[in-house]
Amino acid sequence: MQTAVEHVLTSHLRDIGGFAVRRVLPALPKQMVGPFIFFDHMGPAALAPGEGLDVRPHPHIGLATLTYLFEGEILHRDSVGSVQPIRPGDVNWMTAGRGIVHSERTPPRLRAAGARVHGIQTWVALPRADEEAAPSFAHHPSRALPVVELPGATVRVIAGSALGARSPVRVFSGTLYAAADLAAGASLVVPPEHEERAVYLVAGSASVAGVALDPGQMAVLAPGGAAEIRAGASSTLMLVGGARMDGPRFIWWNFVSSSRERIERAKADWREDRFPPVPGETERIPLPEK
């Protein structure tokens, strides 16, 4: 029942404006797993009283962002007028398409006492036919997401389909994205229904197809066979993947596209302030010129 692990990707620390995250994708041996082209693990971290997460307005094209929290709360604002806090178990899905701007901040009411933050932020590359889709935003509360209960395992299907359940989140291609909590000694079989699959260990101790993972590592699975996850201790993991993307993508700063020229146009648009503003925000992250 076990299948080979093609790659083990180890996260690397990256600074996103005074806050360090562990970045797994894109990686040299694997740019994408299914449509997932960007995978950041935030925290767990405790923010000092009076401090908070402040990701100033910045643009995106050609992708959808997906935020999922284990702890804390983040206030999302964007240029289509959305103002939405996200809390543990919820999903914020923002489709950038031809262009959107957003900010992410710790809500003011949580700053005074100090807040905690822990979660996963991913970018999902859009198929060529949808790269210029109209920008949009959707919020799904935790109660709307299906949960699969198995012996020793609880799996919440965040986007796409897994283990016979389907998330209400609208996706643009075949998608596997789920959070799994396993008790010590429990196992979970990842079926071969999706063309590309990976397993990321958030916390705990687990092996995938016999390969031990440390927290912050992602096992990319070979296609075509079932894979068994076995938890050595109580563990949280993410199941990631879906259909193979319809060709490689170029990625520069916050822009993803199948076309280099489109990215150059997005760079010029942000430099010349041609993206729509975020209502209620006066700051912006400048275009990195180097």
Side-chain angles (χ1 to χ4, degrees):
M1 182 165 58
Q2 292 186 342
T3 188
V5 171
E6 285 189 335
H7 305 286
V8 174
L9 309 179
T10 299
S11 58
H12 300 280
L13 288 177
R14 293 288 186 272
D15 186 275
I16 58 168
F19 186 80
V21 299
R22 284 174 280 180
R23 183 159 300 162
V24 188
L25 293 174
L28 283 176
K30 194 73 176 173
Q31 184 193 43
M32 289 181 277
V33 179
F36 290 86
I37 193 169
F38 186 91
F39 190 105
D40 269 5
H41 182 182
M42 308 179 292
L47 305 174
E51 296 184 358
L53 184 69
D54 282 299
V55 181
R56 295 170 293 158
H58 58 281
H60 292 287
I61 66 163
L63 56 88
T65 66
L66 198 167
T67 302
Y68 184 82
L69 296 181
F70 303 108
E71 282 186 278
E73 182 177 327
I74 296 174
L75 181 63
H76 165 98
R77 295 179 184 268
D78 64 39
S79 54
V80 299
S82 312
V83 180
Q84 177 64 58
I86 182 173
R87 301 181 179 95
D90 297 348
V91 170
N92 274 6
W93 175 282
M94 184 184 75
T95 301
R98 61 176 175 259
I100 200 167
V101 182
H102 76 132
S103 67
E104 295 168 296
R105 300 183 186 272
T106 300
R109 63 180 177 79
L110 297 180
R111 289 177 183 260
R116 290 189 59 82
V117 62
H118 187 203
I120 305 288
Q121 290 195 307
T122 60
W123 295 354
V124 178
L126 299 179
R128 286 193 180 99
D130 299 298
E131 284 185 301
E132 296 297 318
S136 63
F137 176 83
H139 173 79
H140 298 269
S142 61
R143 64 180 179 275
L145 302 181
V147 175
V148 179
E149 297 283 357
L150 298 168
T154 299
V155 182
R156 182 180 297 274
V157 183
I158 300 168
S161 60
L163 305 172
R166 181 171 293 276
S167 165
V169 176
R170 177 178 175 247
V171 295
F172 291 84
S173 60
T175 302
L176 164 66
Y177 196 45
D181 290 314
L182 272 64
S187 63
L188 174 68
V189 174
V190 184
E193 61 181 303
H194 293 282
E195 188 175 10
E196 297 190 343
R197 299 160 299 156
V199 178
Y200 177 78
L201 181 59
V202 176
S205 171
S207 63
V208 180
V211 177
L213 293 184
D214 292 326
Q217 289 187 317
M218 175 181 285
V220 180
L221 304 176
E228 184 183 59
I229 304 168
R230 184 165 293 277
S234 178
S235 300
T236 298
L237 307 102
M238 307 300 288
L239 312 182
V240 185
R244 188 186 305 274
M245 187 50 57
D246 57 355
R249 291 296 186 269
F250 300 105
I251 181 169
W252 188 89
W253 192 39
N254 301 312
F255 305 138
V256 170
S257 179
S258 59
S259 163
R260 288 187 187 274
E261 292 75 16
R262 181 65 182 91
I263 287 181
E264 290 302 315
R265 181 153 56 92
K267 290 163 67 173
D269 286 344
W270 186 246
R271 186 186 296 114
E272 301 300 324
D273 203 16
R274 290 193 289 262
F275 274 84
V278 178
E281 292 274 13
T282 58
E283 298 180 292
R284 70 198 297 267
I285 298 177
L287 187 79
E289 296 294 351
K290 293 185 180 180

